Amino acid sequence: MLDERLGWVLTRFNQTRIDYAFLDEFQKVCAYNPEISRWLENPHDDLCGLPLTEVFPEFVGLEEHLPTQISDASLTIPRVQRSLPQGEKFYFDLRLERIDIFNAAYLLTISNTTRQARLEQQLIQQRNELRLQVAARERAEEALREANDQLERRVTERTTELQEAYQRLQTLSRRLVEVQEAERRQIARELHDEIGQALTGLKLLLGMNARNLPEEAQPGLGEVQTLVVDLMGQVRQLSLDLRPAMLDDLGLIPALLWHFERYERQTQIRVDFKHSGADQRFEPHVETAAYRIIQEGLTNVARYAGVKSVLVRLWHETKRLHLRIEDRGCGFDPVKVLAAGKSNGLSGMQERAALLAGWLVIESSPGCGTTLTAELPLADE
């Protein structure tokens, strides 16, 4: 018979809604909460007298681990799994501890851990999904890095190709300018030496034969002599326009002074010229570029500025030759002029400076005059 005092204890346990079972010294059920049946894999009408291992097979093989003294630690079997008829799973923990309460030697308590287990499963699932997402992101980042590296390599290769092509183009353009100037020099010399000398000889021959002609032929001969003189002047002018010999023979400053004198005589525009540190000789292509830029700039002043004077500055600094042409004329909009293709030689001047790795800047606006500034690099001095 169940001790009445144990019954009183059971009543108190039932009030706590704890699923439990009391076992005797032989690990057989002597009292239990009827709610315990929901945790059983094989339900029984009455559990009293049944061994613990039959009620909960999870204890099979754990006999030597059962607590024998009250002071011994309890034996816990966590996360016992059961399945409902509809297939849903639930979980609980089994805890067996040694007691000494009347006829009972062991207390078995069941804790519902389904919610905790599901939360843990959700956390595990979320953690796995997060790992997959992180792995996918890492793969995407790695692919992005590889694509970026490949793009950078392609950009570097393409940039190198473009730089090499630009260098080749600059070399070709520079060579073209050199050939053009050489042809100008050659043609100018031929005009001066051959055609000029031929015309000079013709003039002398006409003068020598003038007294041997009848008087009625003298007016016609005078016209021919005048025509020959005019033709000699035109040939000399054309030779100088192509390339002044003093640029090659004497250098940049003498050639500019001669050009300014000739320019003032032809256009009636005074040139205010100042220079500093530029009396020395520079490389031929630098002297040619500076002379041509100033020549073209002054031509534009004469054609479009509508002024009586123009300022020209030339100065030499370490490894740099600077020049500036400034007028206070009518001015223009450089952006519109260059965009319209009516550059008045502006693009040609910019190209000449760029071919030497220099630059040329045009500052102008309608009614405010024009300032043209250029910088040409020099070889190591």
Side-chain angles (χ1 to χ4, degrees), residues 142-164:
E142 181 63 25
L144 181 61
R145 282 193 294 269
E146 291 179 359
N148 187 55
D149 292 341
Q150 183 178 4
L151 179 60
E152 288 184 354
R153 288 194 297 271
R154 293 179 60 185
V155 169
T156 301
E157 293 173 357
R158 184 58 177 163
T159 301
T160 302
E161 292 176 358
L162 291 176
Q163 289 176 343
E164 292 175 352

Side-chain angles (χ1 to χ4, degrees), residues 184 256 259-260 263 288-304 323 325 343-350 352 360 372:
R184 284 172 173 264
L256 287 176
H259 180 70
F260 295 152
Y263 176 82
T288 299
Y291 180 85
R292 293 301 185 191
I293 290 174
I294 293 175
Q295 183 185 43
E296 184 63 35
L298 291 178
T299 300
N300 287 340
V301 171
R303 289 178 178 176
Y304 308 108
L323 61 91
I325 304 171
S343 62
N344 303 323
L346 300 179
S347 60
M349 289 187 284
Q350 289 178 328
R352 281 188 179 273
L360 183 143
L372 184 151

Side-chain angles (χ1 to χ4, degrees), residues 316-321 376-381:
H316 170 223
E317 294 179 351
T318 304
K319 298 183 180 181
R320 294 288 187 272
L321 181 65
L376 305 177
L378 303 174
D380 293 339
E381 300 175 333

Side-chain angles (χ1 to χ4, degrees), residues 102-125:
F102 314 114
N103 294 340
Y106 294 94
L107 173 63
L108 175 66
T109 54
I110 299 95
S111 303
N112 188 350
T113 58
T114 301
R115 183 177 180 183
Q116 181 180 357
R118 288 176 179 172
L119 288 175
E120 290 178 355
Q121 289 177 351
Q122 291 177 0
L123 290 175
I124 292 173
Q125 182 179 0

Side-chain angles (χ1 to χ4, degrees), residues 223-242:
E223 293 178 1
V224 172
Q225 288 177 322
T226 302
L227 182 61
V228 170
V229 172
D230 292 340
L231 185 57
M232 290 174 62
Q234 293 177 10
V235 169
R236 183 174 181 275
Q237 184 76 16
L238 182 58
S239 175
L240 293 174
D241 289 339
L242 285 172

Side-chain angles (χ1 to χ4, degrees), residues 308-342:
K308 295 297 182 181
S309 64
V310 59
L311 284 73
V312 177
R313 300 289 182 268
L314 184 70
W315 68 98
H316 170 223
E317 294 179 351
T318 304
K319 298 183 180 181
R320 294 288 187 272
L321 181 65
H322 303 265
L323 61 91
R324 179 176 297 159
I325 304 171
E326 182 177 353
D327 69 71
R328 298 182 180 179
C330 57
F332 63 98
D333 187 339
V335 176
K336 290 184 178 180
V337 171
L338 290 170
K342 301 176 181 179

